[in-house]
Amino acid sequence: MPLTTAELERLLERVLDPVLSSRRTVSESATSLSQCTEKSQQFALQWLKIVCATNAELGYRFITNVAAAMSRMDLQLVEQWVVNALDIYDQSGLYPGTAALIEIDTFIKHSGTHRQAVKLKQERELLGRYLQGLSGRNMQIRSSSHPHTDTESVYLPEVINYFSDRKSNRLVLKAMATHLWGMNRFGTFKRATPDAPGLEQRLSELPDNANKMSIFHALEAERINACISRELPGLKRELNDLSGIPKHDATWQTAIDVLSLPTSTIDDTLKWTRLFLKRRIPLTNSKPWHGSIDIHAAEQASKQRLDKDKTELAKLIEELIQKLDAENSLISDETDKELQISLDNQSEDEQMELSINGEQVQMPPELRKKLEGMLQDLAQIPDEWLNANNNSEESPGNESEDLDLPAELPNSDPVFYYDEWDYQRKHYRKHWCTLYERQIAPGKSGFVDETIAKYHTVVGDLRRSFEILRDDPKTHKRQPFGDDIDLDAVVEANTDMRRGEEMTDRLFLKTQRSDRDIAVMFMVDLSGSTKGWIVDAEREALVLLCEALEVLGDRYAIYGFSGMTRKRCELFTIKQFSETYNESIKQRIAGIKPRDYTRMGVTIRHLTALMDTIDARSRLLITLSDGKPDDYDGYRGDYGIEDTRKALIEARNKGIHPFCITIDRQGSDYLPHMYGAVNYAVVDDVRKLPKEVSEVYCQLTR
Amino acid sequence: MSISAKKDDSLFESEPYYEAQGDEITLFEAAYKNHIPILLKGPTGCGKTRFMEHMAWRLKRPLVTVSCHDDLTASDLVGRYLIVGGETQWIDGPLARAVRQGAICYLDEIVEARKDTTVVIHPLADDRRVLPIEKTGELLKADEHFCLAISYNPGYQSVLKDLKQSTRQRFIAIEFNYPTTNLETQIVVQETGLDRDTASMLVKYAVMTRNLKGNGLDEGASTRLLVHTGKLIMSGIDTRVACRTAIADALTDEPDLLAAINELGTALF
């Protein structure tokens, strides 16, 4: 039975109450909705709730238009219409969002294409992984109306609507991402040496012409195309199958044929550009996936990266030399003797070889990866960069410390003092950090229940997978009693008996829960940078985790940490080992707020000390973080990383197993150094954090 | 009491194919000569087991391989009494057999075994070189040619599956990794008979999946998977299908990740 006008009006009023007034009522909407079928009514009411959850005003606009929309489109299309409007609201705000709801005609007109268009939003994750697979370098995918690359990120359009079928549009998006990756991989922005003139400068030396940039880009794009075709023949075949790709005239084709040779480089593209400009050859049609080029942005980013790489390279080489020294495999005994390091990457199979004093050495994987990355920016790495071991005594960064921030006014919170490791001094700074154990102000009490409701399916899944962990039934052999006969034991007992020995009574199999003896401590990053989504995700992650851990029965404790300078490091107790998960713990989780900075070392030392009082077979310290260690007084960069690393080594020496879960996509650059090669997990999407934390824990203790 | 083990039960007659990645062969030989047990570290499918077979052939010793699982107990390794024709008879386990006949004993994925098994190998793995057999009261002294090797994959992210210091410090460790691109291509060609171009494409695909390690994927495609794929292709299976079944589907069940890996595959082949 469809609802009546009065019933509908009551329902709508309840939902839309905040945006209604005496002149703005829902009676008209209720009347028109009452004409609809029950199914349509349910559909409208269900979507109304969803839209109102985003914005009540938008909800009002929705309900006034939905009857008209349903009269002209099928429900599937109406759904697209709402989702489209919500998307527009998310990106551009309320006014364009309501406009999209009102203009049903426009939507219907474009709906044919809407079904075929491919949105970046839906493909972003897939493409991100795809690009990561192609290149070792972690490339971000961002949206921009001018698809281009700045060598750090690939910018792709929000929507691809070039072809009339979805499959082809998807292919164009993939080809575009590949093409922009190819520009980096096949050296569009590559320089011979760090001091060689960049592309921007070299282009400015060519004759001026309004089409200069476009001609250069068209030619270079064709060169890249050829490189990609060689590298990825499968993609080439798919692209060849696309219809309606513009053909070139004879002049262009000649140039393209030459540029498609495997030996062609950016130098050839520039040569041909000069020729084309001189002969005033008109532009040709470019292929839909070529995108555009932003040389300035690319060179900026590549320059910054090279600077960073240079110092990191020096450090890696220094580590290598120290390691070789320790192994005594360097021929020279005089340590002050200048080492000659050279790199041979000219051999045709692109295998790099590093030699020290003429003797070839094996490169550690991090060094190889770094060099491979750098060779995408430079044709040749200058020898002085390889031999930079003399100038690595760089500015410490932490000497600007002691800003004399007043220590927090005396209060009753317990105070602890901890040493801090100074990697340059290679010594501890005694009693350097002051740590306060603070209480967390309780947040609103409904938070936990709301989160559980929001994630009810996830909670269910997690509970199940944690139950499996808990109930992992172990069959114990040779038990004095049990639920089955242990045949091995019986045979053995028989042999014993026949040999005249005493027969054992341990003849049974017993199925028993494995006794997990795990104590786990979570330290949650509450630095200012977690403000917004991240801290929300952390809160939710903790709720899901507590729910799951309660099922499992592992002992656990949760602490938050933050602080400002070494004089005020703060630790917030959320749950101690001895506490049970109750209402006040739930409120503390809800009360988590982002604070100041992240001084990790001192927190790890304090928690290690706390953990040391706990007796368990496996003890875990899991850090939830959003970035590198960082504090106001110079606790950053190498200093912060090295102190944190030292603190983690101390923890490991006490038999505590550290692990880190981070949402920093760059995490894999520094976490292996701090936590060890396998003791971290990068969660690439904040929204996944709540679920991932529990899953990682599940994996970790399986 | 009699020993049921046949003499030289798994001596290799022809050379098992193995391409050295570095100096692992010399290292192993030196350790063997000096009675030092060996720990092989490395990801799955990178050639640890094949290396052991090759070394056994090289040193002309039989190889006893035990794949450890979580129900493997000490007596599975050492041996037990059985009743044969109404009489009790002691049957050596694989480890005792290897110790007696001077074979190379290779305990694959040692961390998977029960904790008590690692204790059994302790007296064998230091200069005592003995295997106490509790049941018979025998203190089995290792043959001059006996050699103990264990393998372990440090990539597992589980705290419960870690090798104890007291165990690991008895061994020299040889680290294995995936071979370099050229070498790996060579291996695939040799193992499958595939042409070099296709083999190098397969290796390229494997490198791409290894790039994804850590972001959802626990391990990239191993050399072994490439060999499987190559064999499928040689049997007339379409390259794309072979890659999907032998690489992508074998690596993960997660739909998003699977889509990305397949996407890389279609770009390549």
Side-chain angles (χ1 to χ4, degrees):
Chain A
M1 272 288 281
L3 300 172
T4 61
T5 314
E7 282 170 333
L8 279 166
E9 200 167 341
R10 255 200 318 279
L11 266 171
L12 297 182
E13 267 171 0
R14 202 174 333 134
V15 181
L16 289 167
D17 184 50
V19 288
L20 298 181
S21 63
S22 54
R23 275 199 270 165
R24 200 181 196 209
T25 65
V26 286
S27 55
E28 213 174 296
S29 313
T31 320
S32 49
L33 264 181
S34 65
Q35 316 289 321
C36 299
T37 62
E38 192 184 350
K39 194 179 162 207
S40 302
Q41 285 182 350
Q42 290 304 326
F43 175 87
L45 290 173
Q46 188 203 339
W47 273 99
L48 175 65
K49 267 187 213 141
I50 300 172
V51 179
C52 282
T54 309
N55 182 294
E57 174 63 29
L58 202 65
Y60 176 76
R61 298 290 183 161
F62 166 76
I63 210 69
T64 42
N65 287 294
V66 69
M70 288 193 298
S71 68
R72 305 184 49 192
M73 298 182 277
D74 61 10
L75 287 189
Q76 208 187 341
L77 206 54
V78 175
E79 189 171 323
Q80 278 190 30
W81 164 74
V82 193
V83 173
N84 176 50
L86 282 171
D87 278 353
I88 294 175
Y89 168 79
D90 284 344
Q91 279 154 23
S92 322
L94 184 60
Y95 183 71
T98 44
L101 284 176
I102 295 166
E103 289 157 10
I104 302 174
D105 283 334
T106 332
F107 178 80
I108 292 175
K109 209 158 73 191
H110 287 115
S111 63
T113 51
H114 267 289
R115 287 183 177 186
Q116 310 311 331
V118 171
K119 289 189 180 149
L120 176 64
K121 209 170 66 183
Q122 292 157 352
E123 304 288 329
R124 185 189 300 240
E125 198 175 336
L126 177 72
L127 284 174
R129 288 203 163 120
Y130 169 75
L131 284 186
Q132 198 180 11
L134 286 181
S135 56
R137 193 190 278 177
N138 204 346
M139 282 217 151
Q140 302 286 322
I141 292 188
R142 297 177 199 279
S143 65
S144 158
S145 46
H146 303 285
H148 68 275
T149 172
D150 65 1
T151 76
E152 289 278 336
S153 306
V154 160
Y155 293 82
L156 296 170
E158 301 252 359
V159 182
I160 294 266
N161 208 355
Y162 192 88
F163 287 99
S164 58
D165 65 306
R166 208 181 139 74
K167 192 166 160 260
S168 304
N169 283 329
R170 244 189 114 249
L171 182 60
V172 170
L173 188 63
K174 178 179 167 185
M176 196 179 269
T178 315
H179 191 86
L180 295 172
W181 160 81
M183 287 189 143
N184 297 306
R185 171 71 179 75
F186 302 108
T188 299
F189 309 107
K190 195 167 179 171
R191 280 180 288 174
T193 63
D195 307 319
L199 190 54
E200 205 172 10
Q201 200 186 332
R202 292 174 76 184
L203 268 174
S204 68
E205 288 158 7
L206 296 184
D208 268 332
N209 181 314
N211 281 339
K212 181 157 84 174
M213 234 20 211
S214 316
I215 286 190
F216 166 74
H217 179 232
L219 285 167
E220 175 66 2
E222 290 297 342
R223 184 181 76 84
I224 298 294
N225 250 352
C227 293
I228 290 176
S229 301
R230 276 192 299 276
E231 184 86 3
L232 303 170
L235 185 65
K236 175 193 170 190
R237 211 178 45 235
E238 280 186 304
L239 288 175
N240 282 347
D241 292 344
L242 284 181
S243 54
I245 299 299
K247 295 269 182 293
H248 305 292
D249 61 33
T251 335
W252 275 87
Q253 199 55 51
T254 327
I256 290 170
D257 287 346
V258 177
L259 287 174
S260 299
L261 294 174
T263 47
S264 292
T265 63
I266 180 76
D267 298 336
D268 299 286
T269 313
L270 285 167
K271 256 183 242 159
W272 280 92
T273 313
R274 180 186 290 274
L275 195 77
F276 270 45
L277 290 174
K278 233 198 250 163
R279 294 214 199 139
R280 298 183 181 280
I281 294 188
L283 259 177
T284 183
N285 300 314
S286 73
K287 300 200 168 78
W289 58 84
H290 281 178
S292 60
I293 190 167
D294 187 342
I295 298 176
H296 186 71
E299 294 204 324
Q300 286 286 319
S302 123
K303 202 164 159 357
Q304 273 174 16
R305 189 175 47 242
L306 266 181
D307 287 345
K308 200 176 108 213
D309 283 349
K310 185 180 166 185
T311 35
E312 283 174 14
L313 178 70
K315 212 170 117 197
L316 283 171
I317 287 190
E318 199 181 349
E319 275 173 20
L320 175 69
I321 291 174
Q322 274 172 7
K323 193 174 139 232
L324 292 175
D325 253 345
E327 289 171 5
N328 255 336
S329 46
L330 281 187
I331 344 156
S332 66
D333 288 331
E334 309 128 71
T335 40
D336 50 328
K337 193 173 158 190
E338 186 68 12
L339 293 170
Q340 268 314 314
I341 305 170
S342 53
L343 186 73
D344 180 17
N345 62 312
Q346 299 300 330
S347 44
E348 52 177 28
D349 51 8
E350 289 187 33
Q351 298 280 357
M352 285 184 291
E353 279 168 5
L354 188 75
S355 48
I356 297 180
N357 285 350
E359 196 186 337
Q360 196 184 322
V361 290
Q362 225 179 353
M363 272 188 274
E366 310 92 67
L367 181 58
R368 177 177 292 274
K369 209 174 154 199
K370 176 99 311 189
L371 283 171
E372 275 170 359
M374 291 176 78
L375 284 173
Q376 292 196 11
D377 288 319
L378 289 177
Q380 181 79 46
I381 292 168
D383 275 352
E384 64 266 26
W385 284 24
L386 293 168
N387 291 297
N389 47 344
N390 312 330
N391 56 13
S392 59
E393 312 283 326
E394 268 183 35
S395 61
N398 61 317
E399 292 308 331
S400 60
E401 35 104 344
D402 273 335
L403 296 148
D404 274 333
L405 280 168
E408 196 84 330
L409 291 171
N411 61 38
S412 55
D413 288 336
V415 184
F416 302 86
Y417 297 95
Y418 286 96
D419 299 348
E420 186 166 284
W421 177 254
D422 185 333
Y423 80 109
Q424 277 159 332
R425 297 187 194 174
K426 301 215 186 304
H427 277 286
Y428 286 101
R429 297 179 167 206
K430 294 283 172 214
H431 296 291
W432 192 249
C433 300
T434 316
L435 182 130
Y436 298 86
E437 254 187 26
R438 298 206 195 278
Q439 296 302 316
I440 230 165
K444 62 173 178 160
S445 54
F447 173 75
V448 168
D449 296 334
E450 281 167 25
T451 310
I452 293 175
K454 178 174 167 192
Y455 286 97
H456 69 277
T457 49
V458 179
V459 172
D461 285 350
L462 285 176
R463 280 203 183 128
R464 252 192 308 283
S465 49
F466 273 67
E467 259 165 28
I468 293 168
L469 265 192
R470 184 189 64 184
D471 288 329
D472 176 19
K474 270 259 174 337
T475 309
H476 291 265
K477 288 183 169 180
R478 292 164 206 279
Q479 297 299 311
F481 48 88
D483 28 42
D484 208 348
I485 293 168
D486 185 346
L487 278 178
D488 283 348
V490 171
V491 171
E492 209 165 291
N494 255 305
T495 62
D496 283 349
M497 192 179 66
R498 294 201 188 201
R499 295 169 72 239
E501 283 175 29
E502 195 181 339
M503 190 173 156
T504 174
D505 60 344
R506 297 178 157 267
L507 297 173
F508 296 94
L509 291 174
K510 193 160 85 182
T511 319
Q512 208 179 43
R513 275 203 338 230
S514 68
D515 36 18
R516 287 167 65 89
D517 187 11
I518 298 178
V520 58
M521 205 175 233
F522 291 88
M523 65 182 250
V524 184
D525 185 347
L526 299 183
S527 61
S529 56
T530 60
K531 199 170 173 185
W533 285 24
I534 302 176
V535 85
D536 289 344
E538 283 181 345
R539 262 193 294 245
E540 292 175 353
L542 290 180
V543 172
L544 297 194
L545 193 68
C546 289
E547 290 298 318
L549 281 170
E550 285 300 315
V551 173
L552 195 55
D554 286 354
R555 282 175 285 166
Y556 65 104
I558 305 170
Y559 293 90
F561 71 101
S562 183
M564 180 125 163
T565 79
R566 66 186 183 89
K567 293 184 179 166
R568 181 165 67 83
C569 309
E570 291 167 313
L571 187 79
F572 299 89
T573 310
I574 298 165
K575 179 186 176 300
Q576 295 177 341
F577 278 116
S578 54
E579 287 173 302
T580 46
Y581 182 53
N582 56 24
E583 195 52 40
S584 72
I585 307 254
K586 288 179 182 175
Q587 289 184 14
R588 279 184 229 160
I589 294 177
I592 292 177
K593 276 202 291 278
R595 313 251 165 186
D596 311 303
Y597 289 88
T598 355
R599 202 178 195 97
M600 287 173 72
V602 57
T603 318
I604 294 169
R605 289 190 179 94
H606 185 69
L607 293 181
T608 304
L610 285 180
M611 189 71 129
D612 213 26
T613 61
I614 303 293
D615 185 34
R617 200 162 59 203
S618 305
R619 293 181 298 178
L620 273 148
L621 174 65
I622 300 181
T623 313
L624 237 60
S625 112
D626 75 333
K628 290 183 193 174
D630 178 40
D631 198 358
Y632 188 64
D633 53 356
Y635 189 88
R636 52 176 61 106
D638 288 344
Y639 184 88
I641 287 180
E642 291 300 326
D643 174 55
T644 309
R645 177 165 184 251
K646 193 78 181 172
L648 289 168
I649 292 173
E650 291 161 26
R652 228 172 272 137
N653 288 343
K654 292 228 159 98
I656 295 165
H657 190 100
F659 194 89
C660 180
I661 301 172
T662 187
I663 49 158
D664 184 3
R665 283 160 183 262
Q666 313 296 327
S668 42
D669 292 346
Y670 55 89
L671 286 173
H673 180 62
M674 278 161 44
Y675 283 82
V678 295
N679 296 323
Y680 69 94
V682 178
V683 176
D684 54 5
D685 185 349
V686 191
R687 281 168 296 182
K688 286 200 209 138
L689 189 73
K691 189 164 169 249
E692 286 286 313
V693 170
S694 297
E695 282 184 346
V696 167
Y697 181 76
C698 200
Q699 175 106 7
L700 201 56
T701 59
R702 199 165 49 191
Chain B
M1 185 165 68
S2 74
I3 304 160
S4 77
K6 291 170 278 161
K7 262 272 175 261
D8 294 352
D9 49 352
S10 49
L11 207 52
F12 290 93
E13 278 169 13
S14 59
E15 175 181 358
Y17 172 69
Y18 182 77
E19 294 274 353
Q21 297 181 25
D23 45 9
E24 68 266 28
I25 293 181
T26 358
L27 271 173
F28 192 100
E29 282 175 340
Y32 177 78
K33 231 178 272 165
N34 290 295
H35 290 165
I36 306 172
I38 296 122
L39 163 66
L40 308 182
K41 291 202 273 188
T44 178
C46 70
K48 298 187 293 280
T49 306
R50 181 60 70 84
F51 171 68
M52 287 309 300
E53 291 174 359
H54 181 81
M55 289 316 294
W57 170 82
R58 208 169 245 274
L59 299 165
K60 306 206 168 37
R61 300 309 311 165
L63 178 68
V64 177
T65 305
V66 182
S67 302
C68 301
H69 51 84
D70 52 5
D71 225 13
L72 188 90
T73 60
S75 66
D76 288 331
L77 284 180
V78 177
R80 51 166 56 93
Y81 277 112
L82 292 179
I83 301 174
V84 178
E87 290 291 309
T88 59
Q89 195 177 55
W90 173 259
I91 304 290
D92 269 342
L95 182 62
R97 203 165 70 224
V99 169
R100 246 185 250 280
Q101 70 183 49
I104 298 176
C105 184
Y106 174 49
L107 304 178
D108 198 3
E109 299 287 4
I110 183 82
V111 284
E112 296 288 343
R114 292 248 201 137
K115 297 278 180 240
D116 61 333
T117 52
T118 44
V119 182
V120 177
I121 63 171
H122 277 187
L124 262 183
D126 50 34
D127 57 355
R128 288 174 284 171
R129 281 172 61 87
V130 289
L131 178 68
I133 303 181
E134 214 180 307
K135 210 77 205 200
T136 61
E138 190 185 3
L139 190 66
L140 190 55
K141 185 113 186 65
D143 182 275
E144 169 68 17
H145 300 292
F146 169 75
C147 168
L148 180 66
I150 62 176
S151 80
Y152 146 76
N153 180 355
Y156 284 146
Q157 289 187 330
S158 174
V159 272
L160 307 180
K161 283 182 186 158
D162 209 356
L163 213 49
K164 274 188 304 202
Q165 282 297 326
S166 57
T167 309
R168 57 162 67 212
Q169 292 206 8
R170 287 161 199 265
F171 293 80
I172 66 150
I174 301 181
E175 184 149 3
F176 281 72
N177 216 323
Y178 301 116
T180 55
T181 324
N182 276 347
L183 197 59
E184 195 164 20
T185 311
Q186 176 59 36
I187 293 170
V188 176
V189 169
Q190 178 72 31
E191 290 277 297
T192 62
L194 214 57
D195 63 288
R196 232 191 133 73
D197 285 345
T198 320
S200 81
M201 293 292 273
L202 282 181
V203 172
K204 205 185 269 178
Y205 191 28
V207 172
M208 287 176 178
T209 62
R210 288 171 203 163
N211 284 341
L212 285 172
K213 191 186 162 180
N215 285 43
L217 206 58
D218 293 336
E219 294 270 2
S222 63
T223 315
R224 179 169 44 215
L225 277 189
L226 296 190
V227 171
H228 289 174
T229 320
K231 283 181 176 161
L232 287 187
I233 297 172
M234 286 307 279
S235 309
I237 306 278
D238 177 66
T239 317
R240 284 183 178 210
V241 178
C243 284
R244 203 178 56 236
T245 50
I247 298 182
D249 285 344
L251 281 177
T252 180
D253 300 324
E254 207 207 308
D256 292 352
L257 207 54
L258 203 57
I261 295 173
N262 277 324
E263 209 62 67
L264 287 164
T266 46
L268 263 177
F269 298 103

